[in-house]
Amino acid sequence: EAGGGPLLPDSVLYEIFLYLDHVDVLSVGLVCQQWHAVARDEFLWKELFYRYYRVSREVPRHPAAVSWYDEFQRLYDTIPCVEVQALKEHNDQVLHLSFSHSGCLFASCSKDCTVKIWSNELDISLQHSSNMRPYNWSYTQFSQFNSDDSLLLVSGVFVGPHNSSSGEIAVISMENFTLLSRVRNKPYDVFGCWLNETNLISGNLHRIGRITSCSVLWLNNAFQGIESENVNVVKRLFKIQNLNASTIRTVMVADCSRYDSPDLLLDYEEQLAASSTCPVFDLGSDSEEEEAKPKQTPEPAVQELLDDGGVTAEDGLQQFFDDIMEGRMRPAMTETELETKVAELFVRNRTKPPELNLLPTDSNSKTKYLIFTTGCLTYSPHQIGIKRILPHQMTTAGPVLGEERRSDEFFDSLDHVIDIHGHIIGMGLSPDHRYLYVNSRAWPRDCVISDPMQPPPIAEEIDLHVFDLKTMKEVKRALRAHRAYTPNEECFFIFLDVSRDFVASGAEDRHGYIWDRHYNICLAKLQHDNVVNSVAFSPVEQELLLTASDDTTIKVWRSPRTVRVRQARKPRPRKLLFSWLMNQKS
């Protein structure tokens, strides 16, 4: 440090001594004398970097780094891995954390049925707490600030008649913490999200059969009590059929206008090319992912009907039933298989096709993507559905049920589907909305699902996948380190968060984890006494991270560099120094 170099852990110093010894530097004293020169030896720091962090040599240096020395210093000195504060105001499991866009506030949700608003100053302090039990909530589970931080969306589990559980969304004003509106949300793990400053998205679920249903996504105005007498405050966005007990869950919105100015390009070749051109892809056409994803294979007779473009849905259903009654369907189908086949035939000519050639053509486009978890084989969420929201759909003005539909457009189709082949337990967008990060627990390879109510067993190891929303393809290999142990029927959401350079996630192994987005390496494990449910980076300071746990605490983590700066600002204990000097004289 005195020679101008960084503060290094002992293990790194040992690596340096080994390397210097290899190049015939004979003494530690000489190392100290030449430390400043060593600190600027690029070849040395490149070798140390690859060896110490175990990074493949095929991975280039971070595009924003000016030297290997600075890059080494960034990875050990700017990671928020030092615990500086533990917040214990919640008295039950803490489930979710969310920062305001300014970074000045953050909100926490808990099984104690409160949402707490915290002030993010030098020392974090509680600013307000709202108890949702008077509204028949069981607990709060998710929150999100709108784009100008004037409103807070809070999602929770609502206990209705006969103890039936569904969800509800509340909107709270940040000016005086008053409750502005409440919106039903079913199922409750749709969570809900903001589409723009004043409109939010919620869900509803309508059962059609035992394993067939319809998910309806609604656009809601946040100021319903004030405006409902004059204008529409709700409008139907999309209506999507669900097969095999699947439902739409975990909705979020990605802004397409940010794609051409990403914070960090994860494709190394794209980094080198540094190209700003935007390839246009057709979401309505078959892609490699769609061809590769597992599909339900219809019975031969059903497949023949589906391939025959001249047969109407009604004729197909009638022929299908005739084949069953006359014994032409072999082997005999179960009740659930029969329901799925009928639903597939029914929806065949009643779904609005994807709208083609509507991708954003410039960086000012207002098109957004609605992203959510879904499925086609079982109730376990194993696919990511993507649906474009066009500018004219981003307001509650117009008919409540949306634009008038023809009978052959009863359902909406998805623009793109990504199959994960596992149980999805978390999703998060990069700050530039270019990349989607997905926590999942994999199914066994080559598994076959014969009963939608019996999904395959899931792995304990969590995979963190990364998808480029500009190309709709997976980039990099999946990140690993964190683990989960609950089975399918008890599996719960583990929230992750992404900053400019890092991605963090909770886990069931009592730790939070931090990875570097560019190098794909795990940098830190953050300990708790129980499951870590949620993590959140400050949007204006990625060296500040929060973690929330079943141990009822919220922990505040800062980087070693930030801790040193904060300690240097504290006044020195002059009285103790004066007392020590007096004792020395006596």
Side-chain angles (χ1 to χ4, degrees), residues 18-217:
L18 285 180
Y19 180 78
L20 292 178
D21 182 63
H22 177 69
V23 294
D24 297 323
V25 178
L26 301 178
S27 68
V28 174
L30 184 56
V31 171
C32 294
Q33 293 173 15
Q34 297 182 340
W35 173 241
H36 186 73
V38 167
R40 302 300 172 183
D41 186 336
E42 274 292 278
F43 180 71
L44 166 66
W45 287 104
K46 181 178 180 180
E47 289 295 312
L48 285 174
F49 186 92
Y50 283 120
R51 288 175 59 183
Y52 184 73
Y53 289 110
R54 295 182 173 87
V55 177
S56 169
R57 292 180 182 272
E58 297 177 357
V59 179
R61 195 174 67 195
H62 190 289
V66 297
S67 69
W68 284 105
Y69 166 80
D70 290 333
E71 191 65 349
F72 196 106
Q73 190 173 24
R74 177 182 74 85
L75 285 193
Y76 74 73
D77 211 24
T78 66
I79 310 302
C81 58
V82 180
E83 181 184 342
V84 296
Q85 197 173 353
L87 309 174
K88 301 181 179 181
E89 279 77 358
H90 283 290
N91 55 38
D92 208 335
Q93 302 169 3
V94 188
L95 302 180
H96 184 256
L97 299 164
S98 65
F99 267 100
S100 64
H101 295 81
S102 67
C104 298
L105 301 172
F106 69 88
S108 59
C109 295
S110 168
K111 281 286 184 75
D112 65 13
C113 206
T114 66
V115 55
K116 298 186 187 298
I117 314 298
W118 307 80
S119 176
N120 179 27
E121 298 176 349
L122 195 59
D123 285 319
I124 292 172
S125 59
L126 180 63
Q127 185 169 342
H128 177 79
S129 180
S130 293
N131 182 12
M132 301 303 292
R133 289 200 191 278
Y135 305 102
N136 291 327
W137 283 29
S138 177
Y139 57 89
T140 59
Q141 61 175 351
F142 174 84
S143 66
Q144 185 183 45
F145 289 84
N146 70 341
S147 57
D148 65 2
D149 295 334
S150 62
L151 303 173
L152 179 67
L153 177 155
V154 182
S155 174
V157 176
F158 176 85
V159 181
H162 311 294
N163 292 324
S164 62
S165 291
S166 117
E168 191 167 80
I169 296 171
V171 178
I172 297 175
S173 168
M174 287 294 95
E175 183 179 357
N176 50 18
F177 303 112
T178 56
L179 182 64
L180 297 179
S181 59
R182 292 160 58 199
V183 177
R184 288 296 172 89
N185 191 39
K186 184 178 181 180
Y188 60 83
D189 50 2
V190 168
F191 294 119
C193 66
W194 291 105
L195 176 61
N196 49 43
E197 289 184 7
T198 58
N199 292 291
L200 60 99
I201 296 173
S202 65
N204 201 357
L205 184 67
H206 303 280
R207 293 291 177 187
I208 300 175
R210 192 174 72 88
I211 59 170
T212 308
S213 64
C214 172
S215 287
V216 181
L217 297 171

Side-chain angles (χ1 to χ4, degrees), residues 141-142 155 185-193 201-205 207 211 213-217 240-253 370-376 378-386 414 422-427 436 452-453 455 488-493 495:
Q141 61 175 351
F142 174 84
S155 174
N185 191 39
K186 184 178 181 180
Y188 60 83
D189 50 2
V190 168
F191 294 119
C193 66
I201 296 173
S202 65
N204 201 357
L205 184 67
R207 293 291 177 187
I211 59 170
S213 64
C214 172
S215 287
V216 181
L217 297 171
I240 298 169
Q241 187 197 45
N242 303 312
L243 299 176
N244 290 317
S246 65
T247 61
I248 286 178
R249 314 164 190 251
T250 319
V251 297
M252 60 177 56
V253 172
L370 182 64
I371 302 172
F372 46 84
T373 63
T374 182
C376 65
T378 177
Y379 70 82
S380 172
H382 56 277
Q383 291 179 324
I384 298 167
I386 299 175
L414 302 185
H423 191 128
I424 300 170
I425 60 171
M427 294 197 303
L436 177 68
M453 305 310 293
N488 265 307
E489 61 274 12
E490 301 173 17
C491 206
F492 54 86
F493 220 68
F495 294 94

Side-chain angles (χ1 to χ4, degrees), residues 230 237 258 322-323 383 529:
N230 302 313
L237 270 179
R258 307 186 191 183
D322 290 343
D323 289 342
Q383 291 179 324
D529 294 329

